[in-house]
Amino acid sequence: MDAVPALDEPLKKVLGPATAKVMAEHLGLHTVGDLLHHYPRRYEERGQLTHLADLPMDEHVTVVAQVADARLHTFASSRAPRGKGQRLEVTITDGSGRLQLVFFGAGVHKPHKELLPGTRAMFAGKVSVFNRRLQLAHPAYELLRADSEEAVESWAGALIPLYPATAKLESWKIGKAIQTVLPSAQEAADPLPETLREGRGLVPLPEALLKIHRPHTKADIDRARARLKWDEAFVLQVALARRRHADAQLPAVPRRPKPDGILAAFDDRLPFTLTEGQRKVSKEIFADLATDHPMHRLLQGEVGSGKTLVALRAMLAVVDAGGQAAMLAPTEVLAQQHHRSVTEMMGELAEGGMLGGAENATKVVLLTGSMGAAARRQALLGLATGEAGIVIGTHALIEDKVQFHDLGLVVVDEQHRFGVEQRDALRGKGKQPPHLLVMTATPIPRTVAMTVFGDLETSVLDQLPAGRSPIASHVVPAADKPHFLARAWERVREEVGKGHQAYVVCPRIGDEEDGAKAKKKSPEDEAEKRPPLAVLDIAEQLARGPLAGLRVEVLHGRMQPDDKDAVMRRFAAGEADVLVATTVIEVGVNVPNATLMVIMDADRFGVSQLHQLRGRVGRGSAPGLCLLVTEMPEASAARQRLNAVASTLDGFELSRIDLEQRREGDVLGQAQSGTRSSLRMLAVIDDEEVIAEAREEATRTVAADPDLERLPALRTALDALLDEEREQYLEKG
């Protein structure tokens, strides 16, 4: 039997079952290689003190500090009624602040002997408050003795690595485990081709691993980081480049519009001219549709930039060429909204086979899970015979019963809400792989697009159509200035008085069923001691109070689909003044007469979500206004986030802010089929240059050697990145 390569050795063999179990369960580390790639979060310099002044509440922290004083107190308690209870209070300092440590009962003896004034140590524990002072109760600690040989050996060099740790495993225990496996780093196979590594002056992988875990100077850390970032960027980009390469080999039916077909007829009846951006993006899409391998394109654009129109023209081009097009929407409200706006835009061109339909018309059908049996049968028949050229639907489109006559194009709206399997199932319904157009209304910074959607060509619509009005946004601090909130409701009345309409958005639906679910509170909720505001409660309060006399309706996800559609139709027709809703209105809802949006508890929404919601107003000729209501204090991070949203309408800029605050793990995790982000060293926003250069190198490498036969170490690194789940994700796309 072959010996297991050193880096594949299970940790339980090397570190023992107990430590290995904690590492697997809490840190997701299983092998020696996994542990070597668990990099320090930061480094402490032996002579430099951490900032005790900046400690976060309720978080596990590791600090390096010096004992200022230690006092042992005795007290009476139920366990020790004769005053024999013992409490050790130790004050530590780092020059920037002081922190109290407390030990009780039998736990006082060891620290009482060891934590003498002047002693330096690393302390780890959860920061709590007692008597208005920060403290660590029963922290774990590791003395930093310069005289002990073992300590000097284990903390070799002046820089002490501090690792991402858990309550069950302190940073220095992880450090000691890494010292145990560090010799294996010499056997790490280097995934970077030698010419690339030497050309860019990067250190070999074994040296980088050694320097990241046991640096002697800051320059060591910089060199190691530069190298490890390249590994992550390059291996990921090679995976995506191979996928692009494989897709380019697939056959597809070229779809070219006829000069006098349905697309030309549609363009003739448009009451406005396309923007320069729409023309440019359409040209890119039509060029892709005309090729004999499948298009894979990401269409991203600002809220309200006219993506639906661009997608509809692509669908009509495919219908012209004898094929069918399917649009996949994430919710029934959105599918119905798209169906309504597409049939309105097309007019008689959407009445194929009907009296009064235009000569080259087609049928546009809707398919959702809640449709009645007869309507559903009719829609399925239209798809199977080819009579329906366009279908718009939810995941109901993916079911086995749905058969297409000749599926030529799949348009996926709001990509991030669909699992890869769902997209793949729909693509599998074509006789040959259909062309794919993915739309997202959440603008994605270029580097994220390259990292997450690197297998797709990207088109960007960043120009708003003429006649769109600017949207003003303001933060309403309801707790500090309650009269601002009163003024917000006056503004709603003023807009309605001018004949316009308004939205009020809340984070929660409300009622008992929702209340039961709301019991599990997030730390923020606990801190605020109040659940998020709910649609049903707010609607009632407004109708009885500040908005009495106005026509107030509610819309939320738990309503029956027909009821939701009826409410949206009434609102669109101007038969309701104010719509109190959850985020079901976030995407695709188009009521040009709605000019004002009030978002309650705006701090409970993400940056991109707020930007999406805001895009529902100002869609007509009257200017839009968005009021972000919050009770968070001025200095809080949540308020800064809201100020950022209020200060710019640039979705790309906001998505950068969002990313910097949330870390890209969420962004990548979302797109990479829910698997843990593979990025440990690379920060998508900060490392734009590395990602762009890695993409170029990866494309060159794959073009020269698609199966990576001459690069076995790169092949191995790729297999490690693409565990089975991700391999499927990349293959299916």
Side-chain angles (χ1 to χ4, degrees), residues 27-275:
L27 297 168
L29 308 174
H30 303 277
T31 65
V32 168
D34 290 344
L35 182 54
L36 286 173
H37 288 292
H38 186 72
Y39 308 130
R41 180 176 285 150
R42 59 192 177 91
Y43 299 84
E44 272 308 332
E45 290 182 63
R46 185 68 58 74
Q48 179 200 341
L49 298 157
T50 38
H51 295 299
L52 289 181
D54 308 331
L55 287 181
M57 273 296 296
D58 281 337
E59 280 192 29
H60 284 277
V61 296
T62 304
V63 295
V64 178
Q66 193 162 357
V67 177
D69 67 42
R71 292 179 187 176
L72 189 62
H73 302 279
T74 54
F75 60 91
S77 71
S78 56
R79 285 188 182 174
R82 294 186 187 164
K84 297 266 179 77
Q86 291 191 307
R87 181 175 79 246
L88 177 66
E89 290 180 2
V90 178
T91 306
I92 58 172
T93 177
D94 69 350
S96 76
R98 295 164 85 80
L99 179 66
Q100 190 163 29
L101 317 176
V102 287
F103 302 88
F104 294 99
V108 305
H109 305 308
K110 186 166 175 271
H112 191 218
K113 284 205 297 261
E114 294 182 334
L115 297 179
L116 303 172
T119 308
R120 281 177 61 70
M122 297 215 295
F123 301 92
K126 193 172 183 181
V127 183
S128 58
V129 172
F130 181 71
N131 276 348
R132 295 194 169 182
R133 289 168 66 190
L134 291 183
Q135 69 167 28
L136 297 182
H138 282 282
Y141 62 87
E142 175 87 358
L143 301 180
L144 297 175
R145 294 196 191 91
D147 54 336
S148 141
E149 255 183 73
E150 186 198 347
V152 171
E153 180 55 35
S154 71
W155 308 112
L159 294 157
I160 302 165
L162 295 183
Y163 290 91
T166 74
K168 299 265 194 272
L169 204 63
E170 292 87 13
S171 169
W172 54 83
K173 286 186 182 162
I174 297 170
K176 282 181 174 172
I178 285 173
Q179 296 303 333
T180 308
V181 301
L182 205 50
S184 307
Q186 294 304 337
E187 311 204 15
D190 201 323
L192 293 191
E194 206 166 324
T195 48
L196 188 161
R197 201 188 76 229
E198 287 174 355
R200 295 192 173 270
L202 299 167
V203 300
L205 181 59
E207 187 184 329
L209 290 171
L210 217 59
K211 284 189 161 142
I212 201 80
H213 292 298
R214 199 185 268 179
H216 291 284
T217 62
K218 285 184 176 169
D220 281 352
I221 300 170
D222 292 343
R223 277 196 289 273
R225 278 189 171 148
R227 164 60 217 248
L228 295 167
K229 279 180 178 182
W230 252 95
D231 276 17
E232 287 180 5
F234 182 69
V235 174
L236 184 59
Q237 292 300 340
V238 165
L240 294 166
R242 289 188 71 205
R243 166 117 173 263
R244 286 197 301 275
H245 185 270
D247 283 339
Q249 316 304 310
L250 290 173
V253 179
R255 311 279 181 174
R256 294 184 186 87
K258 295 192 291 236
D260 55 351
I262 189 169
L263 175 62
F266 174 76
D267 284 350
D268 287 345
R269 54 170 289 138
L270 275 180
F272 50 81
T273 53
L274 298 177
T275 66

Side-chain angles (χ1 to χ4, degrees), residues 476-590:
V476 176
D480 317 350
K481 298 177 178 165
H483 60 286
F484 276 34
L485 183 57
R487 175 75 188 109
W489 302 128
E490 282 172 23
R491 283 290 289 117
V492 172
R493 281 189 166 285
E494 286 165 16
E495 285 301 307
V496 172
K498 292 179 197 163
H500 298 307
Q501 291 160 282
Y503 297 101
V504 177
V505 181
C506 303
R508 205 162 60 88
I509 297 173
D511 80 22
E512 272 42 68
E513 189 187 336
D514 213 50
K517 287 183 195 163
K519 277 183 186 156
K520 282 180 77 175
K521 289 187 179 155
S522 70
E524 291 92 338
D525 290 353
E526 286 295 347
E528 290 154 19
K529 295 282 181 281
R530 164 169 91 56
L533 294 171
V535 166
L536 299 176
D537 305 340
I538 292 290
E540 198 179 328
Q541 287 167 22
L542 292 176
R544 283 203 315 240
L547 302 186
L550 301 187
R551 297 169 299 174
V552 177
E553 294 238 20
V554 298
L555 181 71
H556 58 74
R558 267 211 314 271
M559 290 164 63
Q560 289 301 315
D562 289 350
D563 297 344
K564 279 193 271 199
D565 199 38
V567 169
M568 273 316 302
R569 278 177 191 277
R570 282 200 295 277
F571 190 66
E575 292 163 20
D577 301 317
V578 180
L579 187 62
V580 183
T582 55
T583 54
V584 290
I585 61 154
E586 181 184 342
V587 181
V589 173
N590 185 20

